[in-house]
Amino acid sequence: QVQLVESGGGLVQAGGSLRLSCAASGRTFSSYAMGWFRQAPGKEREFVAAIQWSGSITFYADSVKGRFTISRDNAKNTVYLQMNSLKPDDTAVYYCAARYGSARLEEDEYDYWGQGTQVTVSS
């Protein structure tokens, strides 16, 4: 019972930064763990980051660890993905997802998905 809308994607030079936002509807937003996934053309969708409902516990894919930061503002019903030191390999459609309960890394554990936002990193 939640809808997700991503925003903040765009074109950026390698080494640059972007911040993605995912606005969620629903009065029980704080009860949901949130995740970010991404999918490049011709490739499988992969896990990027996840955050517990409290915001105190986070998880990251090895490929983005140290460069990306996931956070959430429950008062604004919004989850963020701060992406620094972007690489061309980060180019993908980024999706946010919600799961009732604890954070998980598996795609099939998430119940709700946004429409995705394109991130393109040029050399």
Side-chain angles (χ1 to χ4, degrees), residues 8-119:
L11 175 65
V12 65
Q13 282 275 340
S17 299
L18 285 173
R19 188 179 74 162
L20 305 183
S21 299
C22 177
S25 64
R27 296 188 298 181
T28 58
F29 174 76
S30 62
S31 299
Y32 289 83
M34 303 294 297
W36 285 97
F37 296 79
R38 67 187 183 186
Q39 186 171 27
K43 298 183 179 180
E44 296 182 349
R45 188 157 55 188
E46 64 177 347
F47 169 78
V48 176
I51 187 167
Q52 199 83 343
W53 66 268
S54 67
S56 61
I57 301 175
T58 57
F59 305 89
Y60 296 95
D62 289 342
S63 60
V64 306
K65 192 174 300 182
R67 299 188 297 120
F68 291 11
T69 302
I70 187 171
S71 62
R72 67 190 296 163
D73 187 339
N74 290 342
K76 296 181 178 180
N77 290 346
T78 302
V79 63
Y80 305 96
L81 185 68
Q82 178 66 47
M83 305 185 294
N84 299 326
S85 301
L86 283 162
K87 306 174 181 179
D89 285 348
D90 295 320
T91 296
V93 177
Y94 284 71
Y95 300 88
C96 68
R99 178 185 187 273
Y100 186 79
S102 301
R104 295 289 186 271
L105 279 61
E106 297 79 14
E107 175 182 345
D108 59 5
E109 292 288 343
Y110 286 81
D111 303 304
Y112 305 98
W113 293 83
Q115 83 288 348
T117 185
Q118 177 71 48
V119 172

